[in-house]
Amino acid sequence: SAVISQKPSRDICQRGTSLTIQCQVDSQVTMMFWYRQQPGQSLTLIATANQGSEATYESGFVIDKFPISRPNLTFSTLTVSNMSPEDSSIYLCSAEDLAGGLTDTQYFGPGTRLTVL
Amino acid sequence: GQQLNQSPQSMFIQEGEDVSMNCTSSSIFNTWLWYKQDPGEGPVLLIALYKAGELTSNGRLTAQFGITRKDSFLNISASIPSDVGIYFCAGPEDRDDKIIFGKGTRLHILP
């Protein structure tokens, strides 16, 4: 299984600012994803981070609000732009290694807990 | 799109009791995943099921892939305090590899 780390682990931000969250995997993985988990809720997929091309966003999420980078097979960033209190959530990075023999199995980072004042 | 329905929504049990929770869908899944999320942490994969009828154990945890491919069960035997958390079932949507999650079962252990 992949070991995934995220930075920062938590942050408190002012309305209107932006925060970039980093996700690092300890091995090369095929797929990386970004999820949002609002308080007391389940996980909602924001986008699939594609290596070398633009991310694929889910309905309700747009690139201008959540720009994503994936420069290589072990690293991705998610930016939460022009934040409002409604963006207060846990943001989770996950990875899936299609070459690892366990397809459709995702591993998660510890999450970034964001509070917007 | 596909949806996963988990029940119960929450459970309050005594330490030492066995726990049973399930996940159902109106459509077929080819893979069932069970995750546990501790407070302030990301979900951790507990068990992955890939074949209808499959029964898989991981310590005190046992999960089964329903024969109809529309449900899965997770059982925990002899619960201990560290079992507290949220248990999510998940699986890939049939149209692509994206994984969807149930709303979770919150397990509480009474002192």
Side-chain angles (χ1 to χ4, degrees), chain A residues 3-7 22-26 93 108-110:
Chain A
V3 177
I4 303 171
S5 58
Q6 287 185 232
K7 288 196 297 187
Q22 298 180 6
C23 178
Q24 180 73 55
V25 188
D26 69 341
C93 169
F108 284 83

Side-chain angles (χ1 to χ4, degrees), chain A residues 14-32:
Chain A
Q14 295 294 327
R15 181 195 300 260
T17 63
S18 298
L19 175 72
T20 295
I21 302 168
Q22 298 180 6
C23 178
Q24 180 73 55
V25 188
D26 69 341
S27 59
Q28 292 186 342
V29 290
T30 313
M31 310 285 285
M32 293 183 74

